[in-house]
Amino acid sequence: MGLDMYLLKQKKHSILSRKEIDCLMWYVTCKKRGIKEEEIVKNNETVFNDINKIAGKIEMNINDINTLERYLSPYYAQHIGYWRKANQIHKWFVDNIQDGIDDQRIYEISKEELERLLKICKDIKETCILNDKGMIKNADIPKKLLPACEGFFFGSYEYDKNYLLDIEDTICIISSVLKETDFDEEAVEYTSWW
């Protein structure tokens, strides 16, 4: 148990929003699990009504689950980044992408936002020095730029070698994402779970 953090990437859709795609995926998952339509409607009538509107937008029958699933397959997200208990990185996403709301939902991230986080991480890596006990000597810099975040099973709050390892991991992850993503065609998203 603990803070798990993910970057996801998926193809952008020209007709449907991310929320609409998620709605359809939820419906397909329910149907594939054998949940009857009456139960789906009973549990969330608003979403069910939205599903009908969405299906109308793409001119598909919501009862043809196999066709819907094939239609959605390019839009399933792939995992492109993972952190474990890197609470300072999580705090940055919550403060800068999630409007301060730590709700474990999925949030889209722009190329510019990723570049900003990458620059912060590179600045920290270039300026921080470890002492002989593995603690950051000049911890005021990371405390200002990327402060640790306390939370239930969020890991260490120390400014030490593990903090810097999270920074190095983030530099690798984001550099790779920026290099391998076509932001005109693909959406990058952040989510977390604990």
Side-chain angles (χ1 to χ4, degrees), residues 11-170:
K11 184 178 174 184
K12 287 183 179 177
H13 197 287
S14 59
I15 298 171
L16 301 180
S17 70
R18 171 69 175 132
K19 186 176 180 180
E20 290 171 322
I21 291 170
D22 286 344
C23 236
L24 272 180
M25 287 180 178
W26 171 80
Y27 178 74
V28 168
T29 302
C30 288
K31 293 296 277 185
K32 288 190 77 156
R33 290 183 178 162
I35 299 171
K36 296 195 184 317
E37 212 151 282
E38 304 82 48
E39 278 297 308
I40 295 171
V41 173
K42 186 174 106 179
N43 288 331
N44 201 333
E45 190 172 341
T46 305
V47 171
F48 186 74
N49 290 335
D50 289 346
I51 302 249
N52 282 304
K53 290 176 193 168
I54 296 164
K57 265 177 132 173
I58 58 174
E59 299 176 353
M60 296 190 106
N61 180 344
I62 64 167
N63 295 314
D64 188 352
I65 298 304
N66 290 330
T67 302
L68 274 175
E69 188 171 42
R70 279 193 305 278
Y71 178 83
L72 291 169
S73 65
Y75 306 104
Y76 283 98
Q78 70 182 99
H79 290 255
I80 56 171
Y82 173 75
W83 296 266
R84 174 103 173 124
K85 297 184 180 184
N87 59 67
Q88 72 278 30
I89 304 302
H90 177 66
K91 179 174 175 32
W92 186 90
F93 280 111
V94 170
D95 292 346
N96 294 278
I97 306 301
Q98 300 177 210
D99 295 323
I101 303 165
D102 194 357
D103 59 5
Q104 302 176 350
R105 296 178 71 186
I106 297 172
Y107 290 86
E108 190 168 344
I109 310 155
S110 71
K111 179 180 182 181
E112 294 74 26
E113 290 163 331
L114 287 171
E115 289 170 337
R116 192 162 39 109
L117 177 57
L118 179 62
K119 182 183 179 333
I120 291 168
C121 289
K122 285 181 175 181
D123 289 348
I124 289 171
K125 184 179 180 201
E126 290 172 9
T127 58
C128 288
I129 301 165
L130 293 175
N131 65 22
D132 58 350
K133 295 181 181 176
M135 301 300 290
I136 297 173
K137 287 182 185 179
N138 48 346
D140 54 323
I141 294 169
K143 284 179 184 177
K144 180 182 176 197
L145 296 177
L146 215 52
C149 171
E150 293 187 23
F152 194 59
F153 297 118
F154 272 30
S156 172
Y157 316 122
E158 298 292 328
Y159 294 89
D160 58 9
K161 63 181 179 180
N162 291 321
Y163 177 97
L164 283 180
L165 286 173
D166 290 338
I167 298 299
E168 290 171 5
D169 287 347
T170 303

